[in-house]
Amino acid sequence: MPVRKRMYRCAPGSAIDIAHAAMASRMSRSPSRKVLAAVERIVRAEAQAAGAPREPEFVRLATFPPTVNDEEPTRRVADA
């Protein structure tokens, strides 16, 4: 699951009031929902532990249905 992050620099003793993280995942069926829920839970807990002034905001840019391969062509390719 690749994660991109931006690093912000600030003067010593100052605080950063915004952070961005992007995550792309490709999973089939329900594990994807469980992973996303776990990531949101962890981010919320970390924000609360850090004393963030507001709740984190989550934006899903795109969702797609899982790819389900046809059995016969998949078997032929695997056997090749």
Side-chain angles (χ1 to χ4, degrees):
M1 192 173 346
V3 175
R4 297 185 320 239
K5 57 185 174 182
R6 294 182 185 156
M7 301 300 289
Y8 294 92
R9 294 177 188 240
C10 62
S14 62
I16 297 173
D17 66 347
I18 190 168
H20 294 271
M23 181 180 85
S25 67
R26 184 170 290 218
M27 291 175 257
S28 63
R29 298 186 179 75
S30 64
S32 178
R33 281 181 263 141
K34 289 180 181 179
V35 169
L36 292 174
V39 168
E40 287 189 18
R41 237 183 357 265
I42 292 166
V43 170
R44 288 182 198 284
E46 289 295 328
Q48 184 179 19
R54 62 182 184 268
E55 282 285 315
E57 179 182 337
F58 298 92
V59 178
R60 289 201 176 113
L61 300 177
T63 59
F64 302 97
T67 299
V68 179
N69 295 324
D70 292 332
E71 291 180 24
E72 175 59 28
T74 300
R75 191 171 351 97
R76 284 191 314 229
V77 170
D79 292 343

